[in-house]
Amino acid sequence: MSIFDKIKKIFTKEPAPAPEKPAAPTPKKGENIIEIKGITKVFDGVTVLDNLSLGIKRGQFVTLLGPSGCGKTTLLRLIAGFETPTEGEIFIEGVPITGIPPYKRPVNTVFQKYALFPHLNVFKNVAFGLKLKTIKDPTAKKGERKYTKAEIAEKVNLALKLVGLEDYGHRDVNSLSGGQQQRVAIARAIVCEPKVLLLDEPLGALDLKMRKEMQIELKKMHENLGITFIFVTHDQEEALTMSDMIVVLNDGVIQQIDRPKKIYDEPKNAFVADFIGESNILSGVMEKDFVISFLGKSLPCVDKGFEKNEKVDVVIRPEDIKITDGAGNGHFDGQVLTSVFKGTYYEMIVLAGEYEFTVQSQVEFRPGSTVSLEIVPDSIHIMKKILTINKYIGKVTGENAVTFCNGEFSIPTAGFEVGDDVVVYVPFDAVELTDDEEDGVIGAAVTQSLYKGTYYQVQVYTDTDEDFYIDTADEWDMDDRVGVKIDGAKVRLEKYDPQEEEAE
Ligand code: ATP
Protein backbone atom coordinates (compact mmCIF):
# COMPACT_ATOMS: atom_id res chain seq x y z
CA MET A 1 0.00 0.00 0.00
CA SER A 2 1.47 3.36 -1.01
CA ILE A 3 1.91 6.16 1.48
CA PHE A 4 -0.96 8.04 0.00
CA ASP A 5 -3.29 5.06 0.05
CA LYS A 6 -2.40 4.93 3.69
CA ILE A 7 -3.06 8.63 4.23
CA LYS A 8 -6.33 8.30 2.33
CA LYS A 9 -7.36 5.46 4.57
CA ILE A 10 -6.51 7.44 7.68
CA PHE A 11 -8.27 10.58 6.59
CA THR A 12 -11.39 9.24 4.89
CA LYS A 13 -11.82 6.15 7.04
CA GLU A 14 -12.83 4.22 3.89
CA PRO A 15 -12.13 0.48 3.98
CA ALA A 16 -9.06 -0.39 1.93
CA PRO A 17 -9.87 -2.22 -1.33
CA ALA A 18 -9.05 -5.93 -1.31
CA PRO A 19 -5.69 -6.61 -2.97
CA GLU A 20 -5.97 -8.21 -6.41
CA LYS A 21 -2.87 -10.33 -5.99
CA PRO A 22 -0.75 -11.26 -2.99
CA ALA A 23 1.17 -8.17 -1.96
CA ALA A 24 4.94 -8.17 -2.38
CA PRO A 25 6.71 -8.75 0.94
CA THR A 26 6.78 -5.36 2.65
CA PRO A 27 10.03 -4.30 4.24
CA LYS A 28 10.04 -4.76 7.99
CA LYS A 29 9.79 -1.72 10.23
CA GLY A 30 12.71 -2.58 12.45
CA GLU A 31 15.33 -3.01 9.72
CA ASN A 32 17.79 -0.35 8.64
CA ILE A 33 16.63 1.69 5.66
CA ILE A 34 19.86 3.72 5.64
CA GLU A 35 23.35 2.49 6.40
CA ILE A 36 26.10 5.08 6.66
CA LYS A 37 29.47 3.36 6.60
CA GLY A 38 32.73 5.11 7.44
CA ILE A 39 31.76 8.49 5.99
CA THR A 40 34.41 11.21 6.03
CA LYS A 41 33.82 14.63 4.48
CA VAL A 42 36.64 17.11 4.06
CA PHE A 43 36.06 20.71 2.88
CA ASP A 44 39.15 22.71 1.92
CA GLY A 45 41.41 20.49 4.02
CA VAL A 46 39.08 20.62 7.06
CA THR A 47 37.52 17.35 8.24
CA VAL A 48 33.85 18.08 8.89
CA LEU A 49 32.68 14.47 9.32
CA ASP A 50 35.19 11.95 10.61
CA ASN A 51 34.74 8.25 9.76
CA LEU A 52 31.11 8.28 10.80
CA SER A 53 28.97 5.12 10.77
CA LEU A 54 25.27 4.97 11.53
CA GLY A 55 22.25 2.78 10.82
CA ILE A 56 18.79 4.37 10.56
CA LYS A 57 15.79 2.12 11.07
CA ARG A 58 12.82 2.16 8.73
CA GLY A 59 9.93 4.27 9.97
CA GLN A 60 11.84 5.98 12.78
CA PHE A 61 11.95 9.67 13.62
CA VAL A 62 15.70 10.19 13.95
CA THR A 63 17.18 13.52 14.99
CA LEU A 64 20.71 14.70 14.27
CA LEU A 65 21.49 16.99 17.18
CA GLY A 66 24.57 19.05 17.90
CA PRO A 67 26.00 22.53 18.14
CA SER A 68 26.33 24.81 15.15
CA GLY A 69 29.05 23.63 12.76
CA CYS A 70 29.20 20.02 14.05
CA GLY A 71 28.33 18.61 10.61
CA LYS A 72 24.57 17.87 10.85
CA THR A 73 23.59 19.58 7.61
CA THR A 74 26.58 18.09 5.81
CA LEU A 75 25.44 14.60 6.80
CA LEU A 76 21.91 15.34 5.59
CA ARG A 77 23.21 16.76 2.31
CA LEU A 78 25.30 13.61 1.78
CA ILE A 79 22.17 11.46 2.20
CA ALA A 80 20.21 13.78 -0.13
CA GLY A 81 22.98 13.70 -2.74
CA PHE A 82 23.89 17.40 -2.69
CA GLU A 83 27.41 16.49 -1.53
CA THR A 84 29.64 13.46 -2.17
CA PRO A 85 31.63 11.81 0.60
CA THR A 86 35.42 12.10 0.63
CA GLU A 87 35.48 8.53 1.95
CA GLY A 88 32.90 5.91 2.84
CA GLU A 89 29.55 4.93 1.40
CA ILE A 90 25.87 5.43 2.13
CA PHE A 91 23.38 2.64 1.39
CA ILE A 92 19.64 3.12 1.06
CA GLU A 93 17.76 -0.17 1.20
CA GLY A 94 21.07 -1.95 0.66
CA VAL A 95 21.95 -0.01 -2.52
CA PRO A 96 25.10 2.20 -2.55
CA ILE A 97 23.94 5.68 -3.55
CA THR A 98 27.10 7.72 -4.09
CA GLY A 99 26.74 7.77 -7.89
CA ILE A 100 22.97 8.34 -7.84
CA PRO A 101 21.83 11.96 -8.44
CA PRO A 102 19.56 13.58 -5.81
CA TYR A 103 16.36 13.39 -7.86
CA LYS A 104 16.72 9.64 -8.33
CA ARG A 105 17.15 8.93 -4.62
CA PRO A 106 14.08 7.83 -2.63
CA VAL A 107 14.47 10.85 -0.34
CA ASN A 108 13.19 14.41 -0.29
CA THR A 109 14.35 17.42 1.69
CA VAL A 110 12.57 20.20 3.56
CA PHE A 111 14.88 23.14 4.18
CA GLN A 112 14.75 25.83 6.87
CA LYS A 113 14.22 28.44 4.18
CA TYR A 114 11.08 27.27 2.47
CA ALA A 115 12.36 27.92 -1.09
CA LEU A 116 8.83 28.01 -2.54
CA PHE A 117 8.22 29.28 -6.07
CA PRO A 118 6.86 32.80 -5.47
CA HIS A 119 5.08 33.02 -8.83
CA LEU A 120 3.08 29.78 -8.32
CA ASN A 121 0.08 29.31 -6.04
CA VAL A 122 0.03 26.72 -3.25
CA PHE A 123 -1.43 23.94 -5.43
CA LYS A 124 1.09 24.50 -8.23
CA ASN A 125 4.00 24.64 -5.77
CA VAL A 126 3.06 21.22 -4.43
CA ALA A 127 2.27 19.81 -7.89
CA PHE A 128 5.58 20.97 -9.39
CA GLY A 129 7.63 17.84 -8.67
CA LEU A 130 4.82 15.49 -9.67
CA LYS A 131 4.50 17.09 -13.10
CA LEU A 132 8.16 16.31 -13.82
CA LYS A 133 7.99 12.75 -12.55
CA THR A 134 7.83 9.74 -14.86
CA ILE A 135 6.12 6.60 -13.55
CA LYS A 136 6.29 3.02 -14.72
CA ASP A 137 3.10 1.80 -16.47
CA PRO A 138 3.21 -1.44 -18.51
CA THR A 139 0.06 -0.33 -20.40
CA ALA A 140 1.77 2.86 -21.65
CA LYS A 141 3.57 2.98 -25.01
CA LYS A 142 7.11 3.11 -23.62
CA GLY A 143 6.28 1.31 -20.41
CA GLU A 144 6.25 4.64 -18.57
CA ARG A 145 4.26 7.86 -18.56
CA LYS A 146 3.64 11.15 -16.73
CA TYR A 147 0.93 11.52 -14.07
CA THR A 148 -2.49 12.57 -15.41
CA LYS A 149 -4.06 15.84 -14.25
CA ALA A 150 -6.58 13.92 -12.15
CA GLU A 151 -3.85 11.87 -10.45
CA ILE A 152 -1.86 15.00 -9.71
CA ALA A 153 -4.93 16.72 -8.26
CA GLU A 154 -5.69 13.74 -6.04
CA LYS A 155 -2.16 13.49 -4.73
CA VAL A 156 -1.75 17.24 -4.16
CA ASN A 157 -5.07 17.48 -2.34
CA LEU A 158 -4.13 14.59 -0.09
CA ALA A 159 -0.76 16.14 0.72
CA LEU A 160 -2.41 19.50 1.46
CA LYS A 161 -4.93 17.74 3.68
CA LEU A 162 -2.15 16.07 5.59
CA VAL A 163 -0.49 19.40 6.37
CA GLY A 164 -3.83 21.04 7.22
CA LEU A 165 -4.03 23.28 4.15
CA GLU A 166 -6.79 21.59 2.15
CA ASP A 167 -8.57 24.87 1.40
CA TYR A 168 -5.43 26.80 0.51
CA GLY A 169 -4.63 25.41 -2.96
CA HIS A 170 -5.60 28.59 -4.81
CA ARG A 171 -3.73 30.94 -2.43
CA ASP A 172 -0.69 32.96 -3.44
CA VAL A 173 2.24 31.57 -1.37
CA ASN A 174 3.36 35.11 -0.54
CA SER A 175 0.09 35.68 1.32
CA LEU A 176 0.78 32.83 3.79
CA SER A 177 2.31 33.02 7.26
CA GLY A 178 5.74 31.48 7.90
CA GLY A 179 4.18 28.37 9.43
CA GLN A 180 1.80 27.94 6.50
CA GLN A 181 4.65 28.36 4.01
CA GLN A 182 6.60 25.67 5.83
CA ARG A 183 3.57 23.36 5.60
CA VAL A 184 3.50 23.93 1.82
CA ALA A 185 7.20 23.03 1.71
CA ILE A 186 6.46 19.82 3.64
CA ALA A 187 3.50 18.97 1.37
CA ARG A 188 5.76 19.53 -1.63
CA ALA A 189 8.36 17.16 -0.18
CA ILE A 190 5.96 14.34 0.71
CA VAL A 191 3.79 14.47 -2.40
CA CYS A 192 6.36 12.47 -4.37
CA GLU A 193 6.13 9.71 -1.72
CA PRO A 194 9.77 9.58 -0.59
CA LYS A 195 10.83 6.68 1.60
CA VAL A 196 12.86 9.07 3.71
CA LEU A 197 12.04 12.69 4.49
CA LEU A 198 15.05 14.85 5.36
CA LEU A 199 14.24 17.94 7.43
CA ASP A 200 16.98 20.53 7.86
CA GLU A 201 15.99 22.76 10.80
CA PRO A 202 12.53 23.13 9.21
CA LEU A 203 11.13 25.02 12.19
CA GLY A 204 14.11 27.30 12.70
CA ALA A 205 12.51 30.36 11.07
CA LEU A 206 9.25 30.15 13.04
CA ASP A 207 8.38 32.03 16.22
CA LEU A 208 8.25 30.00 19.44
CA LYS A 209 4.46 29.46 19.51
CA MET A 210 4.30 28.38 15.86
CA ARG A 211 7.37 26.21 16.39
CA LYS A 212 5.72 24.31 19.25
CA GLU A 213 2.54 23.81 17.19
CA MET A 214 4.51 22.58 14.20
CA GLN A 215 6.50 20.18 16.39
CA ILE A 216 3.27 18.43 17.35
CA GLU A 217 1.99 18.45 13.78
CA LEU A 218 5.22 17.10 12.34
CA LYS A 219 5.12 14.27 14.84
CA LYS A 220 1.52 13.48 13.79
CA MET A 221 2.52 13.60 10.12
CA HIS A 222 5.30 11.17 10.85
CA GLU A 223 2.85 8.77 12.48
CA ASN A 224 0.34 9.10 9.64
CA LEU A 225 2.89 8.67 6.86
CA GLY A 226 4.83 5.84 8.48
CA ILE A 227 8.02 6.81 6.61
CA THR A 228 11.46 7.56 8.00
CA PHE A 229 12.13 11.15 9.10
CA ILE A 230 15.68 12.45 9.57
CA PHE A 231 15.44 15.75 11.36
CA VAL A 232 18.27 18.21 11.97
CA THR A 233 18.21 20.60 14.90
CA HIS A 234 20.53 22.24 17.40
CA ASP A 235 17.64 22.58 19.87
CA GLN A 236 17.89 19.82 22.45
CA GLU A 237 14.36 20.30 23.76
CA GLU A 238 12.97 19.89 20.25
CA ALA A 239 15.03 16.73 19.78
CA LEU A 240 13.91 15.25 23.11
CA THR A 241 10.22 15.97 22.39
CA MET A 242 10.02 14.68 18.85
CA SER A 243 12.45 11.83 18.25
CA ASP A 244 12.41 8.06 18.48
CA MET A 245 16.20 8.15 18.32
CA ILE A 246 18.73 10.97 18.78
CA VAL A 247 22.20 11.05 17.26
CA VAL A 248 24.35 13.57 19.15
CA LEU A 249 27.19 14.95 17.06
CA ASN A 250 30.16 17.10 18.01
CA ASP A 251 33.01 18.08 15.75
CA GLY A 252 31.91 15.59 13.07
CA VAL A 253 32.01 12.65 15.49
CA ILE A 254 29.01 10.78 16.96
CA GLN A 255 28.95 11.18 20.74
CA GLN A 256 25.90 9.07 21.50
CA ILE A 257 22.99 7.34 19.72
CA ASP A 258 20.06 6.53 21.98
CA ARG A 259 16.41 7.07 22.73
CA PRO A 260 15.65 10.55 24.16
CA LYS A 261 15.12 9.37 27.74
CA LYS A 262 18.37 7.42 27.76
CA ILE A 263 20.27 10.37 26.32
CA TYR A 264 18.91 12.56 29.09
CA ASP A 265 19.21 10.07 31.95
CA GLU A 266 22.45 8.40 30.92
CA PRO A 267 24.58 10.77 28.87
CA LYS A 268 27.71 8.96 27.68
CA ASN A 269 30.12 11.80 28.29
CA ALA A 270 30.40 15.32 29.66
CA PHE A 271 29.75 16.87 26.26
CA VAL A 272 26.37 15.12 25.90
CA ALA A 273 25.47 15.88 29.52
CA ASP A 274 26.25 19.55 29.02
CA PHE A 275 24.50 19.79 25.68
CA ILE A 276 21.33 17.95 26.72
CA GLY A 277 19.64 19.83 29.51
CA GLU A 278 21.09 21.60 32.51
CA SER A 279 23.87 19.75 34.29
CA ASN A 280 26.35 20.08 37.07
CA ILE A 281 29.59 18.71 35.66
CA LEU A 282 32.52 18.21 38.00
CA SER A 283 35.87 16.53 37.88
CA GLY A 284 36.16 13.57 40.22
CA VAL A 285 38.23 10.54 41.10
CA MET A 286 36.81 7.01 41.20
CA GLU A 287 38.39 5.83 44.48
CA LYS A 288 37.20 2.25 43.98
CA ASP A 289 34.05 0.47 42.78
CA PHE A 290 30.97 2.30 44.10
CA VAL A 291 32.93 5.18 45.70
CA ILE A 292 33.44 8.52 43.98
CA SER A 293 35.28 11.51 45.35
CA PHE A 294 34.62 15.10 44.25
CA LEU A 295 34.81 18.52 45.87
CA GLY A 296 36.82 16.92 48.69
CA LYS A 297 34.13 14.38 49.70
CA SER A 298 33.83 10.63 49.14
CA LEU A 299 30.29 9.59 48.25
CA PRO A 300 28.65 6.27 47.43
CA CYS A 301 27.66 5.79 43.78
CA VAL A 302 26.27 2.96 41.65
CA ASP A 303 29.19 2.72 39.20
CA LYS A 304 32.00 0.20 38.98
CA GLY A 305 34.60 -1.04 36.54
CA PHE A 306 36.86 2.01 36.57
CA GLU A 307 40.54 1.86 37.40
CA LYS A 308 41.46 2.64 40.99
CA ASN A 309 41.73 6.43 41.31
CA GLU A 310 40.80 6.99 37.67
CA LYS A 311 39.98 10.62 36.90
CA VAL A 312 36.37 10.88 35.72
CA ASP A 313 33.65 13.41 34.97
CA VAL A 314 30.75 13.51 37.41
CA VAL A 315 27.35 14.67 36.13
CA ILE A 316 24.48 15.59 38.44
CA ARG A 317 21.18 16.90 37.09
CA PRO A 318 19.84 19.99 38.93
CA GLU A 319 16.49 18.31 39.63
CA ASP A 320 18.23 15.34 41.30
CA ILE A 321 19.74 17.40 44.12
CA LYS A 322 17.76 17.51 47.36
CA ILE A 323 18.01 20.96 48.92
CA THR A 324 17.10 21.58 52.57
CA ASP A 325 17.24 24.49 54.97
CA GLY A 326 20.28 25.01 57.21
CA ALA A 327 23.68 23.35 57.37
CA GLY A 328 24.69 19.78 58.16
CA ASN A 329 21.73 17.79 56.75
CA GLY A 330 23.26 16.69 53.46
CA HIS A 331 26.58 16.14 51.73
CA PHE A 332 27.48 19.74 50.92
CA ASP A 333 26.59 22.92 52.77
CA GLY A 334 26.28 26.08 50.75
CA GLN A 335 24.77 29.49 50.28
CA VAL A 336 22.07 30.39 47.79
CA LEU A 337 23.42 33.02 45.37
CA THR A 338 20.43 33.44 43.04
CA SER A 339 16.91 32.10 42.63
CA VAL A 340 14.76 32.33 39.50
CA PHE A 341 11.18 31.05 39.10
CA LYS A 342 10.95 28.96 35.92
CA GLY A 343 7.20 28.36 35.74
CA THR A 344 6.93 25.11 37.70
CA TYR A 345 10.12 25.15 39.78
CA TYR A 346 12.78 27.47 41.18
CA GLU A 347 16.26 27.33 39.78
CA MET A 348 18.85 28.28 42.36
CA ILE A 349 22.61 28.70 42.19
CA VAL A 350 24.18 27.41 45.41
CA LEU A 351 27.81 28.08 46.21
CA ALA A 352 29.26 25.05 48.03
CA GLY A 353 33.00 25.45 48.65
CA GLU A 354 34.31 26.64 45.31
CA TYR A 355 31.58 25.06 43.17
CA GLU A 356 28.36 26.71 42.04
CA PHE A 357 25.69 23.99 41.92
CA THR A 358 22.58 24.57 39.83
CA VAL A 359 19.65 23.18 41.82
CA GLN A 360 15.99 22.93 40.82
CA SER A 361 13.28 22.61 43.43
CA GLN A 362 9.62 23.40 43.89
CA VAL A 363 10.50 24.98 47.22
CA GLU A 364 12.37 28.25 47.09
CA PHE A 365 15.32 29.17 49.27
CA ARG A 366 16.02 32.89 49.06
CA PRO A 367 19.44 34.27 48.06
CA GLY A 368 21.66 34.51 51.11
CA SER A 369 20.15 31.49 52.91
CA THR A 370 22.32 28.66 54.13
CA VAL A 371 21.25 25.32 52.68
CA SER A 372 22.36 21.73 52.55
CA LEU A 373 22.57 19.61 49.39
CA GLU A 374 22.03 15.87 49.33
CA ILE A 375 22.86 13.69 46.33
CA VAL A 376 21.76 10.05 46.37
CA PRO A 377 23.98 7.43 44.65
CA ASP A 378 21.51 6.93 41.78
CA SER A 379 21.75 10.61 40.84
CA ILE A 380 25.51 10.60 40.44
CA HIS A 381 26.42 9.80 36.83
CA ILE A 382 30.06 8.87 36.30
CA MET A 383 31.63 9.29 32.88
CA LYS A 384 34.99 8.36 31.50
CA LYS A 385 36.98 11.40 30.51
CA ILE A 386 37.12 11.45 26.72
CA LEU A 387 40.66 12.74 26.71
CA THR A 388 43.14 13.24 29.48
CA ILE A 389 46.03 14.83 27.59
CA ASN A 390 46.61 16.68 24.30
CA LYS A 391 48.71 14.66 21.86
CA TYR A 392 50.36 15.87 18.66
CA ILE A 393 52.99 14.71 16.20
CA GLY A 394 55.87 17.19 15.91
CA LYS A 395 59.49 17.66 14.94
CA VAL A 396 62.49 18.83 16.94
CA THR A 397 63.56 21.96 15.06
CA GLY A 398 66.26 23.32 17.34
CA GLU A 399 67.77 23.09 20.78
CA ASN A 400 64.71 23.23 23.04
CA ALA A 401 62.42 23.94 20.10
CA VAL A 402 59.66 21.66 18.83
CA THR A 403 57.34 22.44 15.93
CA PHE A 404 53.76 21.15 15.80
CA CYS A 405 50.38 22.59 14.78
CA ASN A 406 52.30 25.05 12.55
CA GLY A 407 54.01 26.74 15.51
CA GLU A 408 57.47 26.46 17.06
CA PHE A 409 57.16 25.98 20.82
CA SER A 410 59.87 26.22 23.45
CA ILE A 411 60.16 22.72 25.00
CA PRO A 412 63.19 20.97 26.59
CA THR A 413 64.60 18.54 24.01
CA ALA A 414 67.33 16.77 26.01
CA GLY A 415 67.89 13.29 24.56
CA PHE A 416 66.57 14.22 21.11
CA GLU A 417 68.33 15.38 17.93
CA VAL A 418 67.28 18.22 15.64
CA GLY A 419 65.15 16.62 12.91
CA ASP A 420 63.71 13.89 15.18
CA ASP A 421 60.00 13.22 14.77
CA VAL A 422 58.35 13.21 18.18
CA VAL A 423 55.02 12.62 19.89
CA VAL A 424 54.23 15.69 22.00
CA TYR A 425 52.09 15.20 25.13
CA VAL A 426 50.71 18.50 26.42
CA PRO A 427 48.76 18.31 29.73
CA PHE A 428 45.58 20.39 29.87
CA ASP A 429 47.06 22.63 32.56
CA ALA A 430 50.19 23.30 30.46
CA VAL A 431 48.28 25.36 27.89
CA GLU A 432 47.71 29.09 28.31
CA LEU A 433 45.28 31.13 26.25
CA THR A 434 45.88 34.80 25.52
CA ASP A 435 43.33 37.47 24.66
CA ASP A 436 45.51 38.86 21.94
CA GLU A 437 46.05 36.24 19.26
CA GLU A 438 49.43 37.80 18.41
CA ASP A 439 50.71 36.99 21.93
CA GLY A 440 50.32 33.25 21.32
CA VAL A 441 52.61 30.98 19.35
CA ILE A 442 49.60 29.99 17.24
CA GLY A 443 46.03 31.29 16.85
CA ALA A 444 42.80 29.40 17.51
CA ALA A 445 39.06 29.81 18.09
CA VAL A 446 37.18 28.73 21.23
CA THR A 447 34.71 25.94 20.41
CA GLN A 448 33.60 24.80 23.87
CA SER A 449 33.79 25.84 27.51
CA LEU A 450 32.67 23.46 30.28
CA TYR A 451 32.74 24.34 33.97
CA LYS A 452 34.08 21.33 35.86
CA GLY A 453 33.67 22.31 39.46
CA THR A 454 36.80 24.27 40.19
CA TYR A 455 37.99 25.17 36.68
CA TYR A 456 36.82 25.53 33.11
CA GLN A 457 37.76 22.96 30.50
CA VAL A 458 38.03 24.91 27.29
CA GLN A 459 38.41 23.45 23.81
CA VAL A 460 39.97 25.52 21.05
CA TYR A 461 40.31 24.71 17.38
CA THR A 462 43.51 25.77 15.64
CA ASP A 463 43.81 27.05 12.10
CA THR A 464 45.56 23.77 11.24
CA ASP A 465 42.50 21.67 12.16
CA GLU A 466 43.76 20.53 15.59
CA ASP A 467 42.06 20.68 18.99
CA PHE A 468 43.65 21.86 22.21
CA TYR A 469 42.00 21.16 25.58
CA ILE A 470 42.89 23.57 28.35
CA ASP A 471 42.10 23.55 32.07
CA THR A 472 41.87 27.16 33.15
CA ALA A 473 40.40 29.38 35.82
CA ASP A 474 39.16 31.80 33.14
CA GLU A 475 35.90 31.60 31.30
CA TRP A 476 36.12 32.06 27.52
CA ASP A 477 33.29 32.75 25.12
CA MET A 478 32.49 30.55 22.14
CA ASP A 479 34.13 31.73 18.91
CA ASP A 480 36.60 34.02 20.78
CA ARG A 481 39.87 34.24 18.84
CA VAL A 482 42.78 33.43 21.16
CA GLY A 483 46.52 32.90 21.14
CA VAL A 484 47.89 29.54 22.38
CA LYS A 485 51.03 29.34 24.54
CA ILE A 486 52.51 26.29 26.25
CA ASP A 487 54.50 25.78 29.44
CA GLY A 488 57.25 23.65 27.87
CA ALA A 489 58.46 22.36 31.25
CA LYS A 490 55.21 20.34 31.65
CA VAL A 491 55.38 18.80 28.17
CA ARG A 492 56.57 15.23 27.59
CA LEU A 493 58.23 14.11 24.34
CA GLU A 494 58.47 10.59 22.99
CA LYS A 495 60.18 9.33 19.87
CA TYR A 496 57.62 9.03 17.09
CA ASP A 497 57.22 5.51 15.73
CA PRO A 498 54.72 5.52 12.84
CA GLN A 499 54.11 1.75 13.16
CA GLU A 500 53.27 2.04 16.83
CA GLU A 501 50.92 4.97 16.06
CA GLU A 502 49.23 2.93 13.35
CA ALA A 503 48.74 0.03 15.79
CA GLU A 504 47.18 2.43 18.33
P1 ATP B 1 24.42 24.69 11.73
O1 ATP B 1 23.56 24.18 12.85
O2 ATP B 1 25.06 26.00 12.04
O3 ATP B 1 23.74 24.66 10.39
P2 ATP B 1 25.78 22.18 11.13
O4 ATP B 1 26.03 21.28 12.27
O5 ATP B 1 24.63 21.85 10.25
O6 ATP B 1 25.67 23.68 11.64
P3 ATP B 1 27.36 22.07 8.74
O7 ATP B 1 26.51 23.04 7.99
O8 ATP B 1 27.28 20.65 8.37
O9 ATP B 1 27.12 22.23 10.29
O10 ATP B 1 28.86 22.58 8.60
C1 ATP B 1 29.95 21.90 9.23
C2 ATP B 1 31.22 22.63 8.88
O11 ATP B 1 31.49 22.46 7.48
C3 ATP B 1 31.17 24.13 9.11
O12 ATP B 1 32.42 24.53 9.62
C4 ATP B 1 30.95 24.70 7.73
O13 ATP B 1 31.50 25.99 7.61
C5 ATP B 1 31.68 23.70 6.86
N1 ATP B 1 31.08 23.61 5.51
C6 ATP B 1 29.84 23.18 5.22
N2 ATP B 1 29.63 23.22 3.88
C7 ATP B 1 30.78 23.67 3.32
C8 ATP B 1 31.22 23.92 1.98
N3 ATP B 1 30.42 23.70 0.94
N4 ATP B 1 32.48 24.37 1.80
C9 ATP B 1 33.31 24.58 2.84
N5 ATP B 1 32.98 24.36 4.13
C10 ATP B 1 31.73 23.92 4.38
Side-chain angles (χ1 to χ4, degrees), residues 233-279:
T233 184
H234 59 264
D235 180 333
Q236 40 104 0
E237 198 188 322
E238 191 161 278
L240 290 171
T241 324
M242 300 180 71
S243 325
D244 296 322
M245 198 59 81
I246 299 178
V247 180
V248 185
L249 279 170
N250 188 32
D251 252 356
V253 176
I254 294 178
Q255 305 293 316
Q256 186 165 359
I257 309 173
D258 262 316
R259 299 191 167 277
K261 186 160 176 357
K262 193 136 189 234
I263 294 249
Y264 187 84
D265 288 344
E266 295 168 50
K268 276 222 168 104
N269 57 43
F271 170 80
V272 179
D274 184 56
F275 194 69
I276 309 279
E278 288 267 355
S279 278

Side-chain angles (χ1 to χ4, degrees), residues 133-373:
K133 209 173 166 184
T134 308
I135 52 164
K136 290 204 166 48
D137 181 353
T139 65
K141 247 189 203 167
K142 291 181 185 164
E144 54 181 32
R145 64 173 175 85
K146 298 279 185 196
Y147 280 119
T148 64
K149 267 193 169 176
E151 284 169 336
I152 290 178
E154 191 195 0
K155 284 175 185 290
V156 170
N157 287 329
L158 272 169
L160 287 176
K161 184 163 190 168
L162 185 79
V163 298
L165 291 179
E166 56 264 59
D167 300 326
Y168 284 69
H170 64 285
R171 287 275 292 269
D172 180 349
V173 287
N174 304 302
S175 71
L176 303 181
S177 71
Q180 289 167 334
Q181 289 191 26
Q182 192 54 292
R183 285 165 208 247
V184 178
I186 295 168
R188 193 177 57 176
I190 58 178
V191 79
C192 292
E193 302 180 36
K195 290 182 177 163
V196 181
L197 188 64
L198 307 174
L199 300 122
D200 192 359
E201 303 238 12
L203 313 182
L206 306 180
D207 65 36
L208 188 65
K209 188 164 174 285
M210 184 80 80
R211 201 180 166 117
K212 297 270 175 216
E213 280 171 21
M214 282 299 288
Q215 284 176 3
I216 295 167
E217 294 204 15
L218 259 186
K219 191 84 189 123
K220 266 198 218 148
M221 280 179 216
H222 173 251
E223 278 159 22
N224 289 340
L225 284 168
I227 62 170
T228 312
F229 276 30
I230 307 181
F231 184 84
V232 160
T233 184
H234 59 264
D235 180 333
Q236 40 104 0
E237 198 188 322
E238 191 161 278
L240 290 171
T241 324
M242 300 180 71
S243 325
D244 296 322
M245 198 59 81
I246 299 178
V247 180
V248 185
L249 279 170
N250 188 32
D251 252 356
V253 176
I254 294 178
Q255 305 293 316
Q256 186 165 359
I257 309 173
D258 262 316
R259 299 191 167 277
K261 186 160 176 357
K262 193 136 189 234
I263 294 249
Y264 187 84
D265 288 344
E266 295 168 50
K268 276 222 168 104
N269 57 43
F271 170 80
V272 179
D274 184 56
F275 194 69
I276 309 279
E278 288 267 355
S279 278
N280 296 287
I281 303 175
L282 304 106
S283 243
V285 171
M286 202 66 197
E287 286 183 5
K288 55 182 181 178
D289 283 353
F290 309 116
V291 182
I292 174 73
S293 146
F294 59 97
L295 296 182
K297 281 238 160 109
S298 293
L299 295 185
C301 65
V302 294
D303 296 80
K304 60 174 183 159
F306 291 85
E307 302 208 350
K308 204 164 184 284
N309 292 327
E310 183 173 337
K311 283 188 177 175
V312 290
D313 285 322
V314 179
V315 172
I316 304 159
R317 296 285 186 196
E319 67 272 24
D320 290 341
I321 299 176
K322 190 174 167 205
I323 176 166
T324 47
D325 200 9
N329 310 322
H331 301 114
F332 301 97
D333 293 334
Q335 195 175 39
V336 179
L337 299 182
T338 62
S339 169
V340 178
F341 185 55
K342 293 261 182 165
T344 51
Y345 59 87
Y346 294 90
E347 187 165 289
M348 290 160 278
I349 304 293
V350 177
L351 180 66
E354 283 180 58
Y355 187 67
E356 290 179 10
F357 277 98
T358 304
V359 181
Q360 292 169 356
S361 162
Q362 278 162 357
V363 182
E364 187 189 25
F365 296 87
R366 297 295 304 155
S369 10
T370 299
V371 291
S372 202
L373 305 179

Side-chain angles (χ1 to χ4, degrees), residues 43-44 48 66-75 83 201 232 234:
F43 285 119
D44 307 328
V48 169
S68 186
C70 72
K72 309 177 292 288
T73 298
T74 303
L75 183 54
E83 300 286 354
E201 303 238 12
V232 160
H234 59 264

Side-chain angles (χ1 to χ4, degrees), residues 46 75 122 150 190 213 315 348 410 448 466 485:
V46 177
L75 183 54
V122 169
I190 58 178
E213 280 171 21
V315 172
M348 290 160 278
S410 174
Q448 208 187 112
E466 299 271 4
K485 280 188 190 175

